[in-house]
Amino acid sequence: MSTQPDLLYSEEEEALRSAVRDLLADHCDAPGVIARTESDAPHDLAAWKALADGMGLAGLLVPEDKGGQGATHREVAVVLEELGRAVAPVPYLTSAVVATEALLATDADDLLAELASGRRIGALAVALNIAPGGAYKVVRHEDGALHGELTAVADAAVADVLLVPADDGGLYAVDAADATLVPQVSLDLTRPLATVRLDGAPGRLLGDAEPAVRRALRSAAGLLASEQLGLADWALTETVRYLKERKQFNRPVGGFQALKHRLAQLWLEVVNLRAAARNAADALATGDDVELSVAVAQAYAAPVAVHAAEEALQLHAGIGMTWEHPIHLYLKRAKADSIAYGTAAAHRAAVAELVDLQAP
């Protein structure tokens, strides 16, 4: 029996939000993130260590008896909202959500505990654009070794262990040192992609790949909506603040009726996105209507996040076009997120199928 979803934030979730926001204010200020994207090491491993080791947030989805915090997807969603607000270059979504969810579908409790503690970073070797239930590329398993190439693997560059699906249906753990990682050009410089090449790499069989990958991508898609919410909310808040300060004809630009209408429309979109994202997080936490809630959230999230970033760029005018202002980071993340774990169109098609809505 389906229960009414809880879309509100609890006191504990708001306290968690405050703590994460304070930590990111210290570690992931905009100039610092921009400087990292221009370097050879875009990931902020100090921020990751503070989140994973200092606050224990890498293990939120892992039960306490397996070395984690025993929390739910609702708390993870709050963390991802704040990471989206800061476009933080940390492998939280890829390791603490995607790789962790894949491991939760196997019996690899030792590896799960290592990811939960933040001692190791994991990455599922499936392309970032694959939707839940979609076909993914596999490598060849032969005589106990893995051979092949997988492209567009997010955050593989900082992973210690790669979770690799093979043609025998198994999911294998591969030490990143045994793989060749080739960086790929990515629009979003805060979430780098890489090609993973395996040339006879040894792999440890963890379990069946199909249910593990499906579970991982479903959670990823549902919780990505919270990251997109944080991004969109930042764009709206910063744009409103700027338009109150920026003056033209001796009055604040934000007082002009046309801009008020644009901001009001954007506010409505962000509020609706918050409801969809919270519903997806609550569904993942409770197990109620998960497939539909995730598909609805992702069908709505990408267009709103991209629109919010585009409006922020346009309404900040000349300053918004500069490299020094962080808006370009948000627009690039929003555009990259719009194809991550399935496009909005793919999720709309999934919604139609789930509710038996026939195409015209």
Side-chain angles (χ1 to χ4, degrees):
M1 178 177 156
S2 185
T3 57
Q4 196 73 13
D6 180 4
L7 305 186
L8 301 178
Y9 300 97
S10 67
E11 286 185 20
E12 292 80 7
E13 288 164 0
E14 290 292 5
L16 174 61
R17 176 196 306 285
S18 179
V20 174
R21 187 174 297 188
D22 287 347
L23 185 151
L24 293 174
D26 292 337
H27 284 277
C28 292
D29 62 310
V33 175
I34 292 171
R36 285 189 176 282
T37 64
E38 297 173 319
S39 74
D40 294 331
H43 290 95
D44 190 338
L45 294 181
W48 167 253
K49 183 175 174 58
L51 287 164
D53 189 19
M55 296 183 69
L57 300 183
L60 287 180
L61 291 177
V62 180
E64 290 185 57
D65 61 356
K66 295 186 177 181
Q69 304 297 321
T72 72
H73 298 79
R74 292 175 57 92
E75 288 80 13
V76 174
V78 170
V79 174
L80 283 167
E81 280 184 43
E82 292 307 310
L83 294 176
R85 186 185 295 274
V87 283
V90 295
Y92 190 84
L93 180 66
T94 46
S95 183
V97 176
V98 183
T100 296
E101 284 277 26
L103 289 175
L104 283 167
T106 71
D107 296 322
D109 289 355
D110 56 333
L111 192 50
L112 190 61
E114 289 182 329
L115 260 59
S117 69
R119 289 195 303 274
R120 299 182 83 187
I121 296 171
L124 180 66
V126 170
L128 183 63
N129 64 314
I130 301 299
Y136 51 87
K137 195 174 175 183
V138 297
V139 298
R140 190 173 85 257
H141 180 258
E142 189 177 302
D143 299 328
L146 299 169
H147 307 262
E149 182 176 287
L150 301 164
T151 57
V153 179
D155 293 333
V158 288
D160 301 298
V161 61
L162 301 166
L163 309 181
V164 181
D167 59 0
D168 64 349
L171 184 69
Y172 290 85
V174 175
D175 194 311
D178 293 327
T180 301
L181 301 177
V182 181
Q184 290 182 249
V185 176
S186 172
L187 178 64
D188 178 12
L189 300 175
T190 63
R191 183 174 284 146
L193 305 177
T195 295
V196 176
R197 291 177 183 157
L198 302 172
D199 186 16
R204 168 190 162 197
L205 180 62
L206 303 174
D208 293 337
E210 199 275 331
V213 172
R214 186 176 66 244
R215 174 175 177 164
L217 297 185
R218 186 184 67 183
S219 289
L223 292 171
L224 180 67
S226 291
E227 178 184 291
Q228 292 164 305
L229 167 61
L231 187 158
D233 195 53
W234 178 92
L236 173 62
T237 303
E238 284 300 303
T239 304
V240 169
R241 185 186 62 75
Y242 176 75
L243 294 183
K244 283 180 178 179
E245 296 173 355
R246 176 84 167 86
K247 290 189 176 174
Q248 200 171 54
F249 307 116
N250 209 28
R251 59 179 287 195
V253 174
F256 292 107
Q257 194 70 22
L259 298 190
K260 284 183 177 179
H261 283 304
R262 286 172 69 169
L263 292 171
Q265 175 61 35
L266 189 56
W267 180 82
L268 281 173
E269 291 178 16
V270 172
V271 168
N272 288 335
L273 172 53
R274 177 171 285 109
R278 291 304 292 165
N279 185 53
D282 190 69
L284 285 164
T286 61
D288 286 336
D289 292 327
V290 178
E291 305 286 350
L292 182 59
S293 298
V294 168
V296 167
Q298 268 310 313
Y300 193 74
V304 173
V306 171
H307 183 223
E310 288 176 342
E311 287 288 75
L313 183 69
Q314 290 181 19
L315 296 177
H316 273 77
I319 192 174
M321 298 294 292
T322 65
W323 186 262
E324 289 74 19
H325 200 286
I327 289 178
H328 63 93
L329 296 176
Y330 290 83
L331 181 56
K332 291 167 186 171
R333 173 66 70 89
K335 293 292 277 186
D337 280 358
S338 70
I339 60 169
Y341 308 116
T343 62
H347 287 285
R348 282 196 295 272
V351 170
E353 188 175 333
L354 286 164
V355 299
D356 198 24
L357 181 65
Q358 299 298 315

